[in-house]
Amino acid sequence: LIHPEIANNTGTIGRTAAATGSVLHIFHPFGFEMSAKARGRAGLDYWDQVDCREHASWEAFLEAERPSRIWALSARAANPVWEAAIQPGDYLLFGCETSGIPAEIQNWAVAHNGESCLIGLRVHPPARSLNLACAVTAVVYEGLRQLGQDILVAKAQRRSHLTYGRLGRSDHCSRRSRAGKVARGDGD
């Protein structure tokens, strides 16, 4: 999440990360305070369940994480998220609420991942876009769906990374079979 501006959106995105066992990467600067006292005032009593990694800059993130593939989300992207072939280890990158992903970061993503890395969620006009927290939730769950992960079963046995985070699949994750029974995933 690059330079988030609205604390409530970041809180909702943090709750999605906690609920899906995902890692939340946040890039400085923020448009709000992230201290424990500020989180307490905002009612983010679950924040201790969020694996949140703060990065001083885009460059610091690249150095620390060394992402192999990034999907850059944009309200103006021609490629819908459901046509992206999300794989374990991929990162989902979301920009700030008012201006999206900065041009230099979007250009980096395209240069390293190709034009098809720009993906988005289509909306019916006259709507321009979804709220950032709503978009993150929709895309994260689409990524988990593509990876065949049932996050409600055995989520404690794996950690996926979402950048907002990085998606990954554990050899120990569970998934539901067509009959609705829980089946142990074996990486198939």
Side-chain angles (χ1 to χ4, degrees), residues 28-76:
H28 285 267
F30 308 149
F32 50 88
E33 189 181 337
M34 282 284 286
S35 69
K37 185 176 180 180
R39 291 192 310 268
R41 281 194 310 266
L44 302 179
D45 56 339
Y46 56 86
W47 199 257
D48 62 330
Q49 300 170 31
V50 178
D51 185 352
C52 182
R53 300 178 189 173
E54 296 182 27
H55 301 279
S57 66
W58 170 248
E59 293 76 17
F61 162 76
L62 291 175
E63 186 175 323
E65 296 298 319
R66 303 190 185 283
S68 57
R69 185 162 68 166
I70 288 179
W71 297 99
L73 281 288
S74 171
R76 294 172 292 286

Side-chain angles (χ1 to χ4, degrees), residues 169 175 184-188:
R169 179 179 171 145
R175 58 184 168 79
R184 286 281 174 213
D186 61 1
D188 57 2

Side-chain angles (χ1 to χ4, degrees), residues 19 40 46 52 63 71 81 96 103 110 114 150 152 173 180:
Y46 56 86
C52 182
E63 186 175 323
W71 297 99
V81 67
C96 72
V110 169
D150 182 344
L152 299 178
C173 70

Side-chain angles (χ1 to χ4, degrees), residues 3-143:
H3 314 306
E5 298 170 329
I6 301 171
N8 289 351
N9 281 340
T10 301
T12 300
I13 293 166
R15 186 176 292 269
T16 297
T20 60
S22 301
V23 177
L24 172 59
H25 296 269
I26 305 179
F27 301 77
H28 285 267
F30 308 149
F32 50 88
E33 189 181 337
M34 282 284 286
S35 69
K37 185 176 180 180
R39 291 192 310 268
R41 281 194 310 266
L44 302 179
D45 56 339
Y46 56 86
W47 199 257
D48 62 330
Q49 300 170 31
V50 178
D51 185 352
C52 182
R53 300 178 189 173
E54 296 182 27
H55 301 279
S57 66
W58 170 248
E59 293 76 17
F61 162 76
L62 291 175
E63 186 175 323
E65 296 298 319
R66 303 190 185 283
S68 57
R69 185 162 68 166
I70 288 179
W71 297 99
L73 281 288
S74 171
R76 294 172 292 286
N79 305 316
V81 67
W82 50 85
E83 290 181 8
I86 297 172
Q87 299 295 314
D90 288 359
Y91 284 75
L92 304 172
L93 187 62
F94 296 84
C96 72
E97 292 87 345
T98 58
S99 57
I101 298 173
E104 63 275 7
I105 295 175
Q106 197 172 75
N107 292 340
W108 183 97
V110 169
H112 288 83
N113 300 281
E115 194 73 35
S116 65
C117 81
L118 300 177
I119 58 174
L121 293 167
R122 299 206 172 136
V123 296
H124 187 345
R128 294 185 318 269
S129 63
L130 292 175
N131 167 278
L132 177 61
C134 295
V136 167
T137 300
V139 173
V140 166
Y141 276 92
E142 170 59 15

